[in-house]
């Protein structure tokens, strides 16, 4: 079985080809970072236009590298949401059109299911597991019982962890995207010279809040006396410790036998180290994607499409008359998925 994956939910154009026998055959990513950097954040209309420009050449490059023709595919999987609607529509329209031309099905994939399956690109492991999903748009603790059976245990009630990294980086005068830049600065900072609050750690439950942290950072910066690197370090530690502690509680509550960490912020070294230590103490294995598959990519979408095909749970989007249509939803709760 061969599945082409197409990801266009935000500012990366990702295309990949996966086979059930040989794993990932080829993958390409075009990041629009430079395009949006001058605006300090993603401009949706520019993102959509750039996906249109990049997609077909990336599809051609991936097929060429794998030595495969479109007609040899078993399906095209594309990100159906959640994400920027215009950006999603470009990937969905290209996927549906190619699928028509090649006579194969086009399968909408949930972006977050892609993220949480991404560690399986490194090696097989079984459901159930607890997922800490930390991306630019979501911060969620999810009990994944089986493919498509996801229970939301807790989430950020305001900013996502990645969003907090990006906004705080902006406050510190770092470029976009802020996460990696802030992490680099924090590496030069001293620990324990500034202590920022650990939001909602003193409260029971698994919800989190990160919007207050940027205000605390702003206050610290305005007051002066702290090196930017020390502020970055204190911020990174506050976010990491909060995520680690909430995840520890979620493991205990769900009794999940393994932990999966996914999404862009899973690339953060401080957070990874904290989660690895906590997982060891909790006696559960932890699975991370490789760094390049933490952030958005086509490989995770191809994998999610393949998994659904293999288990007979792949569904084309169709209208009332049964005619294939494109599926693009800016908002699409993960819990709405069915096994
Ligand atoms: O999963 P992703 O690529 O996109 C969404 O689906 O949102 O995540 C992007 C987010 C951005 O907020 C970015 O700043 C953050 O992940 N990020 C990081 C690191 N690398 C990416 N945050 C902290 N440390 C990093 N090393
Ligand atoms: Zn993502």
């Amino acid at each position: 079985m061969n599945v082409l994956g197409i990801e266009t939910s935000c500012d990366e154009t990702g295309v990949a080809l996966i086979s059930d026998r040989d794993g990932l055959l080829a993958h390409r990513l075009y990041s629009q970072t430079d395009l949006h950097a001058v605006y300090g954040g993603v401009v949706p209309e520019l993102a959509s236009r750039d996906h249109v420009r990049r997609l077909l050449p990336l599809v051609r490059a991936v097929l060429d590298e794998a030595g495969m023709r479109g007609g040899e595919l078993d399906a095209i999987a594309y990100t159906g949401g959640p994400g920027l609607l215009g950006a999603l529509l470009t990937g969905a329209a290209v996927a549906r059109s190619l699928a028509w031309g090649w006579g194969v099905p086009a399968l909408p994939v949930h972006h977050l299911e892609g993220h949480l399956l991404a560690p399986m690109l490194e090696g097989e492991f079984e459901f159930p597991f607890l997922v800490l999903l930390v991306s630019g748009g979501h911060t969620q603790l999810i009990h994944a019982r089986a493919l498509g059976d996801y229970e939301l245990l807790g989430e950020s009630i305001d900013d996502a962890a990645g969003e907090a990294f990006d906004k705080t980086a902006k406050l510190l005068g770092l470029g976009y995207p802020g996460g990696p830049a802030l992490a680099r600065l924090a590496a030069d900072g001293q620990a324990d010279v500034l202590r920022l609050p650990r939001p909602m750690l003193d409260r029971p439950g698994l919800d989190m809040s990160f919007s207050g942290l940027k205000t605390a950072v702003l206050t610290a910066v305005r007051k002066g006396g702290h090196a930017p690197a020390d502020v970055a370090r204190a911020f990174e530690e506050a976010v990491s410790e909060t995520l680690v502690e909430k995840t520890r509680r979620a493991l205990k509550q769900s009794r999940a036998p393994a932990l999966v960490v996914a999404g862009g912020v899973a690339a953060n070294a401080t957070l990874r180290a904290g989660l690895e230590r906590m997982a060891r103490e909790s006696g559960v294995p932890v699975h991370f994607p490789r760094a390049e598959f933490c952030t958005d990519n086509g490989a995770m979408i191809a994998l999610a499409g393949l998994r659904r095909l293999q288990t007979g749970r792949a569904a084309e989007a169709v209208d009332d008359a049964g005619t294939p249509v494109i599926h693009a939803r800016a908002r699409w709760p993960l819990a709405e998925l069915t096994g």
Side-chain angles (χ1 to χ4, degrees):
M1 243 180 236
N2 302 306
V3 178
L4 185 75
I6 292 181
E7 154 65 32
T8 62
S9 68
C10 191
D11 60 345
E12 337 262 12
T13 320
V15 178
L17 182 57
I18 199 167
S19 110
D20 56 346
R21 225 188 36 211
D22 302 317
L24 198 58
L25 299 177
H27 65 98
R28 286 282 205 298
L29 185 81
Y30 180 84
S31 173
Q32 304 176 351
T33 303
D34 294 346
L35 178 69
H36 301 291
V38 283
Y39 304 99
V42 178
V43 183
E45 176 62 24
L46 294 184
S48 310
R49 289 183 210 173
D50 211 47
H51 287 310
V52 172
R53 269 195 291 270
R54 307 293 168 191
L55 259 175
L56 288 174
L58 288 179
V59 169
R60 189 163 301 132
V62 162
L63 287 177
D64 283 351
E65 190 184 325
M68 200 173 284
R69 284 172 300 113
E72 295 173 70
L73 295 172
D74 291 273
I76 302 176
Y78 63 92
T79 305
L84 301 171
L85 190 60
L88 290 167
L89 282 167
T90 64
V94 166
R96 183 61 261 167
S97 310
L98 290 175
W100 233 306
W102 291 332
V104 300
L107 312 172
V109 161
H110 196 291
H111 183 76
L112 301 184
E113 182 167 78
H115 271 305
L116 69 87
L117 294 177
M120 291 187 187
L121 290 162
E122 311 310 314
E124 273 309 314
F125 56 90
E126 300 294 319
F127 286 94
F129 45 80
L130 178 79
V131 184
L132 171 65
L133 189 97
V134 272
S135 71
H138 296 83
T139 298
Q140 300 185 328
L141 283 159
I142 299 156
H143 192 183
R145 294 200 176 85
L147 187 73
D149 183 358
Y150 308 120
E151 186 191 354
L152 182 64
L153 301 179
E155 64 183 332
S156 173
I157 57 169
D158 41 53
D159 292 354
E163 193 180 355
F165 265 95
D166 293 337
K167 287 178 176 171
T168 303
K170 214 172 196 176
L171 278 177
L172 294 173
L174 305 171
Y176 163 85
L182 194 146
R184 275 194 299 277
L185 181 62
D188 297 330
Q190 275 193 69
D192 302 323
V193 292
L194 170 69
R195 188 176 168 86
L196 296 173
R198 270 64 173 153
M200 293 179 74
L201 262 198
D202 51 343
R203 281 193 240 162
L206 298 174
D207 283 342
M208 296 158 265
S209 159
F210 293 106
S211 73
L213 260 182
K214 64 176 185 290
T215 319
V217 166
L218 191 61
T219 311
V221 169
R222 287 220 177 109
K223 243 202 243 156
H226 289 293
D230 294 347
V231 178
R233 174 91 183 236
F235 168 83
E236 197 179 62
E237 279 174 357
V239 173
S240 295
E241 203 181 303
T242 306
L243 290 169
V244 168
E245 282 315 308
K246 292 281 179 178
T247 307
R248 188 198 302 273
R249 288 180 204 174
L251 275 171
K252 214 168 153 196
Q253 183 185 312
S254 64
R255 300 210 188 104
L259 174 63
V260 157
V261 188
V265 186
N268 186 274
T270 303
L271 176 63
R272 272 187 186 233
L275 287 165
E276 272 165 357
R277 197 178 325 114
M278 182 275 291
R280 235 185 351 262
E281 288 162 9
S282 304
V284 299
V286 56
H287 306 280
F288 293 94
R290 77 182 82 157
E292 66 177 320
F293 294 153
C294 285
T295 43
D296 294 345
N297 63 85
M300 67 185 196
I301 302 304
L303 175 66
L306 176 64
R307 281 286 179 277
R308 285 191 164 261
L309 265 187
Q310 284 174 318
T311 52
R313 279 172 287 184
E316 276 206 274
V318 291
D319 65 11
D320 292 342
T323 310
V325 291
I326 62 173
H327 169 118
R329 280 179 68 181
R331 287 177 183 278
W332 185 9
L334 189 63
E336 276 184 25
L337 285 188
T338 49

